[in-house]
Amino acid sequence: MIWFGGQLPDEAYLRDSFGRGMPGFLDVEFVSVDEGALTIRMPVNEKVHQPFGRLHGGASVVLAETAGSVAAAFCVDPSQFACVGMEINANHIRPVRDGFVYARASAEAIGRTTHVWSIRITDEAERLVCVSRLTVAVIPIDRK
């Protein structure tokens, strides 16, 4: 189990966490958490379309960084550390025009000062839309 204290993150807390900031603006929602991954989703609508009516690549990156950063935060002691994005990349594979996209973040490496997360974004038919990798810095809470 990758989560801090050997406990799954609290699902009620996760459901209530996405209403603020960018995730709230894009209507990102918690879906599930298991022993090694966190899954969230985002509706594909006019908020996240590029001019041609397809999912904007930047919205996919926002979804990927949200999934990885939230997951990373649950792998450290929150009274001592904060997790912040350091680098992200994304390969956009397939267009999406509507429905939902799902981001599943799983850890590649969880270190003392950095984490590396893989995030796979899929559509409702479970086809790969975007694959992303996020590097997260783990910093002392007084530096955030």
Side-chain angles (χ1 to χ4, degrees):
M1 168 123 26
I2 63 172
W3 311 114
F4 177 72
Q7 302 271 351
L8 286 174
D10 180 66
E11 291 190 18
Y13 177 80
L14 283 166
R15 271 191 289 284
D16 293 341
S17 323
F18 291 102
R20 300 180 302 276
M22 181 69 77
F25 176 73
L26 297 181
D27 302 317
V28 173
E29 302 172 320
F30 165 76
V31 173
S32 66
V33 64
D34 59 38
E35 288 189 6
L38 174 86
T39 302
I40 62 176
R41 75 178 188 170
M42 177 179 68
V44 179
N45 55 33
E46 65 282 344
K47 284 185 183 179
V48 298
H49 281 164
Q50 38 91 307
F52 305 108
R54 298 173 176 208
L55 176 63
H56 192 290
S60 293
V61 172
V62 167
L63 184 64
E65 182 151 355
T66 300
S69 295
V70 169
F74 282 99
C75 293
V76 300
D77 180 348
S79 70
Q80 294 188 35
F81 300 102
C83 294
V84 296
M86 208 159 103
E87 189 275 338
I88 190 166
N89 67 48
N91 296 104
H92 307 290
I93 311 296
R94 167 178 275 105
V96 179
R97 295 182 184 279
D98 55 23
F100 283 90
V101 286
Y102 294 81
R104 180 174 172 85
S106 57
E108 296 294 338
I110 299 177
R112 189 176 48 81
T113 59
T114 59
H115 296 183
V116 177
W117 291 83
S118 290
I119 302 97
R120 294 178 60 86
I121 299 176
T122 56
D123 64 12
E124 291 177 300
E126 298 183 7
R127 295 175 298 194
L128 186 62
V129 171
C130 176
V131 62
S132 182
R133 185 174 58 231
L134 171 68
T135 304
V136 174
V138 179
I139 61 172
I141 197 83
D142 59 353
R143 284 186 49 204
K144 75 173 186 177

